[in-house]
Amino acid sequence: MLEVTRKLVELLDLAPIGDDHFQGESEDLGFPNVFGGQVLGQALMAASRTVEDRVAHSLHAYFLRPGNHRLPIDYEVHRVRDGGSFSVRRVIARQDGKEILTGSMSFQVEETGFDHQHDMPEAPDFESLKSEHTLALMMKQYIPEHMREKFTRDRPIEIRPVNPMNPLKPERRDPHKQAWLRAQGELPDDPVLHRCLLAYSSDFGFLGTSLNPHGVTFMNRGMQVASLDHAIWFHREFRMDDWLLYDTDSPSAAAGRGFNRGNIFNRDGVLVASTAQEALIRRRPNKTSEG
């Protein structure tokens, strides 16, 4: 395992602080607030720690307040139900006594049944694409100095976007994005860890899909963007240390909100997970002074 990946795995490895209570550290990725994917991954890890012999098949979460990446996060798990096949957990994430996320996760015993899926869409091979890290290094001189170190440092999740957009010079595009992603280095055979890492990774660039038709990115002056909620359905087993194709689209944007959805396929074309998210995407009103 690479050192940068080991640090991410440790970030997801929560410390128990009481009955069904856990604490996780935060990381600074250069965003104003805690990265939403971090809170998703840690919340799923907290819930998973209270379930035996079952793995998560779905996660539904609401982001309630911006998190502070300088403070740890406390996770409180409520055991809602343990049935014959399914277990449900509710998780509340808090910082400084205030809730920043609430979510529900459902877990299922291993089971077989009917099986079908959408075909994997056409996409360039990952070997033909440059990683976001490489692209950031290529435009390093144009990145604002106060953001340069965060945007060009090594990353545990390697993302290779299809048809990448220059975030400093955005253009109008269809509300559709594709990217290959994987964790760097070999990971242990732990399905819980792989799910938590996918939850973490699934928030990267997701809301940007709904910004594509409008020719803006989160880096544009005056833009206010934030994830409002996030859902994941885990369909089949997968490995985060092998390449996955993240295919996303945005059917709608209205009333200051953008709706995004995604499908995640392994390199053999197997649909392993699906996602959905609504995000706040608005321009801040111009402030004028009088006198």
Side-chain angles (χ1 to χ4, degrees), residues 235-250:
H235 307 307
R236 298 169 179 86
E237 293 303 312
F238 61 92
R239 293 194 64 89
M240 271 299 297
D241 49 7
D242 198 2
W243 288 105
L244 300 171
L245 177 68
Y246 198 8
D247 183 89
T248 66
D249 71 349
S250 176

Side-chain angles (χ1 to χ4, degrees), residues 120 124-134 155-162 179-185 187 194 198 237-246 264-272:
M120 181 178 177
D125 191 88
F126 54 84
E127 293 181 346
S128 67
L129 304 172
K130 292 182 173 64
S131 69
E132 285 189 346
H133 180 243
T134 299
R155 306 174 185 184
I157 305 300
E158 182 179 0
I159 300 174
R160 296 190 182 185
V162 175
W180 289 94
L181 58 85
R182 67 171 178 180
Q184 297 209 63
L187 295 169
H194 288 264
L198 185 57
E237 293 303 312
F238 61 92
R239 293 194 64 89
M240 271 299 297
D241 49 7
D242 198 2
W243 288 105
L244 300 171
L245 177 68
Y246 198 8
I264 302 172
F265 300 83
N266 68 17
R267 67 162 82 189
D268 295 324
V270 177
L271 180 62
V272 301

Side-chain angles (χ1 to χ4, degrees), residues 164-201:
M165 182 186 294
N166 183 344
L168 303 176
K169 296 181 180 180
E171 58 191 44
R172 294 180 185 271
R173 294 184 177 180
D174 291 338
H176 177 241
K177 293 170 63 178
Q178 288 183 322
W180 289 94
L181 58 85
R182 67 171 178 180
Q184 297 209 63
E186 187 175 354
L187 295 169
D189 297 330
D190 180 358
V192 173
L193 176 61
H194 288 264
R195 280 167 168 76
C196 293
L197 284 169
L198 185 57
Y200 172 90
S201 305

Side-chain angles (χ1 to χ4, degrees), residues 112-165:
T112 59
F114 299 113
D115 196 318
H116 75 272
Q117 68 163 74
H118 278 189
D119 291 337
M120 181 178 177
E122 293 292 329
D125 191 88
F126 54 84
E127 293 181 346
S128 67
L129 304 172
K130 292 182 173 64
S131 69
E132 285 189 346
H133 180 243
T134 299
L135 294 169
L137 291 175
M138 291 171 60
M139 59 181 297
K140 181 177 180 178
Q141 61 180 320
Y142 304 108
I143 301 174
E145 187 173 354
H146 70 282
M147 304 170 65
R148 193 171 298 159
E149 187 276 330
K150 293 290 192 303
F151 277 74
T152 58
R153 68 183 179 182
D154 290 338
R155 306 174 185 184
I157 305 300
E158 182 179 0
I159 300 174
R160 296 190 182 185
V162 175
N163 193 21
M165 182 186 294

